[in-house]
Amino acid sequence: MPHRATPAWRLYIPKLVTVLREGYGVAHFRADLIAGLTVAIVALPLAMALAIASGATPDKGLLTAVVAGFLISAFGGSRFQIGGPTGAFVVVVFNVIAQYGYDGLVLATLMAGLMLIAAGLFRFGTWIKYIPEPVVTGFTAGIAVIIFSSQIKDLFGLDMETVPAEFFDKWAAFWEARDTLSPVNLVIALSALAAIILLRRYAPRFPAFLIAVAGASLAVWLFNLPVDTIGTRFGGIPQSLPWPEMPRIDAARIAELIPSAFTIAFLAGVESLLSAVVADGMTGRRHRSNCELVAQGIANAASALFGGMPATGAIARTATNVKTGARSPVAGMLHAVFILAFMVFLAPLADAIPLASLAAVLVIVAWNMSEIDKFRHLMTAPLGDRLILLVTFGLTVMVDLTVAIEVGVVLAAIVFMHRMAEVAAVTLGVEWIDEDIDDFEPGANGAPDQRIALPKGVEVFKLRGPLFFGAASRLGDMLDSIGRPPRVFILRMGEVPLIDSTGVGALETFVRRCTDNGTLVIASNIQKQPRAILRQMGFERDGQRLLFADSMQHAKQIAQDHLQALAPER
């Protein structure tokens, strides 16, 4: 009986429905309740800090975490996604508010939500994997630098009426205001920063952000310290949600906000799917990317109607959700309910929160976003990838995030075409017509013969074509498709003419997953360019995670030796 294709509409069924159909009991709810409370404790200070860094009021961050956070979990394609405001939006949100006002941000967020829904319905979710890693790392590190720069005023308690938007002008203004530094403010900021770092190192199970902010607030209240707080600067936090309201819409306004809305939609799509992939890697589950995009669109549109900010999947909060034992999207929905409960019952307590402590929180957020190790690793990549990374990073910091993404993607395409031209030049001597072959020779009938005479417990896969940013994700898909992991995995790479930094990253992820499952990975017949790049980026010096073989026969011999070494353990 022929296999029937899955109806398209089933790919948009939220994971919440899937979980409920599988069976959801009291034990599942208890686990989700604990996970939701834990994530809410982490998200609470972050939501307020990110809103302030974006040029909005702290209640907008809480509002976004409640409305968008609930809907992302309820309608999303991931079991464990936690949504809300994130550091990725700080730059674009700040610029939109500065240029068009907060009502302009609301309309841009609504437009971005509609774009995300359309992207999901047109199945663009699978296209986002084609964004090269140097572009993502470049603009993410650039955003981290901008977030850190935006917190200098509150970290040092500088007396400045306005802070310039441009990067170099901002630092020049900080230097001019250096004589207004507040020692009390600096002590609070450094104390909160030290508390977060020490708690994360020596007591990682404790909510470092909340403890640092609560401790700083208690000190300000007890000693009546003269520092800016949420109460003195913003007048406190409302204790209820506003009624939904449509923003003012006209054609001219829409036209001028399209670039900003596209940037918001792009960031929401990339960050949410990256977060979902992280959750998949931690749990072994699979998310539905297009369903996730539709959920992100619904959540952002709803956030805009309530006067909130853009939202997306938060990688760190999602990872916390998984680590604390979440079983389903109910955990994410409960995290939003807990934040709403804080607004309703405990909002007056937020008046005493010193802005210096929230600045310390954002310094840690910026450090985590910078991904220093990944940035350093990509600086060992081929020249083209380094150029993409540095150009995207520099444009994000010094020009504009939208320009940085556009230039980075175009530059990546140009670099790829250049590499393909080099490969074509190398392979011009191939025959246009294949010669006849002897059907009685081993391997004459094609690919299935690569499995002949393989020892039990060995799996082999042949890669063909360039392993670049557009094809790198296929390695993970291939690993997911084989089910139970083998003892040895042989990658035949004789027909891979080139590899880029994203391909190396995908290969690293593949090898790490295999290693975690106790699987040895052997790469055979590697061509000159891929071998040079792997050596340049540290793979060959490792010699533990990935072994190299000059031929398939050599690879099979290594596999047999490995299986014999494991035999006494059985």
Side-chain angles (χ1 to χ4, degrees):
M1 185 175 180
H3 175 71
R4 295 177 61 186
T6 301
W9 61 269
R10 290 189 184 177
L11 299 177
Y12 297 94
I13 296 176
K15 284 290 184 178
L16 177 63
V17 175
T18 302
V19 168
L20 295 178
R21 289 178 63 184
E22 290 174 351
Y24 189 83
V26 175
H28 297 87
F29 181 77
R30 187 185 301 113
D32 285 336
L33 187 71
I34 294 171
L37 178 59
T38 304
V39 175
I41 290 171
V42 173
L44 195 61
L46 272 175
M48 292 186 287
L50 290 168
I52 293 170
S54 302
T57 54
D59 61 295
K60 302 300 185 186
L62 294 174
L63 174 64
T64 305
V66 172
V67 176
F70 186 91
L71 294 174
I72 285 172
S73 295
F75 292 100
S78 170
R79 292 173 184 256
F80 308 103
Q81 186 82 281
I82 298 294
T86 69
F89 289 123
V90 167
V91 177
V92 64
V93 169
F94 186 91
N95 290 339
V96 171
I97 293 176
Q99 191 170 356
Y100 303 108
Y102 193 81
D103 60 332
L105 173 67
V106 170
L107 180 55
T109 304
L110 178 61
M111 292 165 60
L114 298 178
M115 289 179 184
L116 284 165
I117 293 173
L121 294 178
F122 284 104
R123 301 191 182 186
F124 287 170
T126 51
W127 289 25
I128 290 179
K129 67 181 72 172
Y130 296 142
I131 304 300
E133 189 172 23
V135 175
V136 176
T137 302
F139 76 68
T140 303
I143 291 170
V145 170
I146 294 174
I147 291 175
F148 173 76
S149 301
S150 70
Q151 297 311 299
I152 296 300
K153 175 179 180 293
D154 288 332
L155 275 173
F156 292 92
L158 301 179
D159 186 9
M160 303 171 64
E161 289 188 10
T162 58
V163 178
E166 299 299 325
F167 181 75
F168 292 112
D169 293 343
K170 185 178 297 182
W171 280 95
F174 291 152
W175 180 250
E176 290 177 3
R178 63 189 183 278
D179 293 334
T180 65
L181 181 147
S182 167
V184 174
N185 199 96
L186 183 59
V187 168
I188 291 174
L190 293 179
S191 299
L193 192 60
I196 294 170
I197 294 171
L198 292 173
L199 283 168
R200 287 193 155 195
R201 179 160 188 173
Y202 298 107
R205 292 182 176 275
F206 289 86
F209 287 158
L210 187 64
I211 291 174
V213 170
S217 303
L218 183 62
V220 168
W221 178 72
L222 283 176
F223 301 107
N224 195 26
L225 299 177
V227 295
D228 276 349
T229 65
I230 285 179
T232 59
R233 185 177 293 186
F234 301 106
I237 293 174
Q239 293 181 259
S240 62
L241 294 179
W243 288 100
E245 181 181 351
M246 281 293 293
R248 179 176 65 87
I249 300 175
D250 60 67
R253 190 77 160 162
I254 289 174
E256 64 185 7
L257 286 170
I258 282 178
S260 299
F262 177 80
T263 303
I264 291 171
F266 176 84
L267 290 174
V270 170
E271 287 288 311
S272 65
L273 297 186
L274 284 175
S275 179
V277 168
V278 168
D280 289 350
M282 296 176 70
T283 62
R285 298 284 188 173
R286 294 288 298 272
H287 72 281
R288 289 195 281 265
S289 57
N290 294 305
C291 177
E292 185 64 31
L293 286 186
V294 171
Q296 295 291 332
I298 293 171
N300 276 276
S303 178
L305 295 179
F306 280 89
M309 299 162 50
T312 186
I315 296 175
R317 277 163 269 172
T318 298
T320 300
N321 190 41
V322 173
K323 289 177 182 177
T324 49
R327 301 288 187 86
S328 75
V330 174
M333 297 161 67
L334 288 172
H335 124 273
V337 172
F338 282 123
I339 294 176
L340 177 60
F342 168 81
M343 290 182 65
V344 173
F345 300 108
L346 301 176
L349 297 179
D351 290 357
I353 295 176
L355 299 183
S357 66
L358 295 181
V361 168
L362 286 170
V363 168
I364 299 296
V365 170
W367 174 259
N368 292 337
M369 283 190 67
S370 66
E371 296 187 298
I372 295 295
D373 291 339
K374 183 181 286 189
F375 198 101
R376 188 184 298 117
H377 183 57
L378 283 173
M379 288 303 295
T380 66
L383 178 61
D385 291 313
R386 281 179 277 164
L387 180 64
I388 296 166
L389 174 71
L390 293 175
V391 167
T392 308
F393 172 77
L395 289 174
T396 300
V397 173
M398 291 179 284
V399 182
D400 179 74
L401 179 59
T402 304
V403 173
I405 293 170
E406 292 170 349
V407 172
V409 171
V410 171
L411 188 58
I414 293 172
V415 168
F416 171 69
M417 288 187 286
H418 172 70
R419 286 174 179 159
M420 290 304 296
E422 286 184 329
V423 173
V426 170
T427 58
L428 281 176
V430 299
E431 299 288 345
W432 281 101
I433 301 175
D434 291 335
E435 296 292 337
D436 290 342
I437 59 174
D438 182 357
D439 289 337
F440 294 97
E441 284 292 318
N445 292 315
D449 280 326
Q450 72 178 345
R451 303 179 55 84
I452 290 178
L454 281 178
K456 185 178 180 181
V458 177
E459 187 66 59
V460 63
F461 190 81
K462 188 172 185 178
L463 299 177
R464 291 188 178 91
L467 191 59
F468 72 109
F469 61 82
S473 62
R474 294 177 187 171
L475 269 174
D477 295 339
M478 180 264 295
L479 187 59
D480 291 331
S481 69
I482 65 172
R484 185 178 178 181
R487 290 295 186 95
V488 180
F489 213 124
I490 299 174
L491 290 177
R492 299 186 64 179
M493 299 181 65
E495 296 184 28
V496 177
L498 70 84
I499 186 171
D500 69 357
S501 60
T502 306
V504 173
L507 187 59
E508 283 184 318
T509 301
F510 173 83
V511 173
R512 184 170 61 251
R513 287 181 61 185
C514 288
T515 303
D516 291 343
N517 291 323
T519 301
L520 175 69
V521 183
I522 305 170
S524 71
N525 305 84
I526 302 181
Q527 293 190 33
K528 184 178 179 180
Q529 192 272 358
R531 184 142 193 169
I533 298 304
L534 291 172
R535 184 187 301 117
Q536 181 179 332
M537 298 188 72
F539 249 109
E540 197 156 311
R541 291 191 298 273
D542 186 309
Q544 298 295 323
R545 301 170 301 154
L546 178 65
L547 300 183
F548 294 86
D550 296 328
S551 64
M552 184 61 182
Q553 191 61 37
H554 185 202
K556 285 194 285 187
Q557 185 60 52
I558 295 174
Q560 287 174 336
D561 293 344
H562 179 70
L563 292 175
Q564 288 175 2
L566 293 177
E569 299 178 8
R570 295 176 182 173

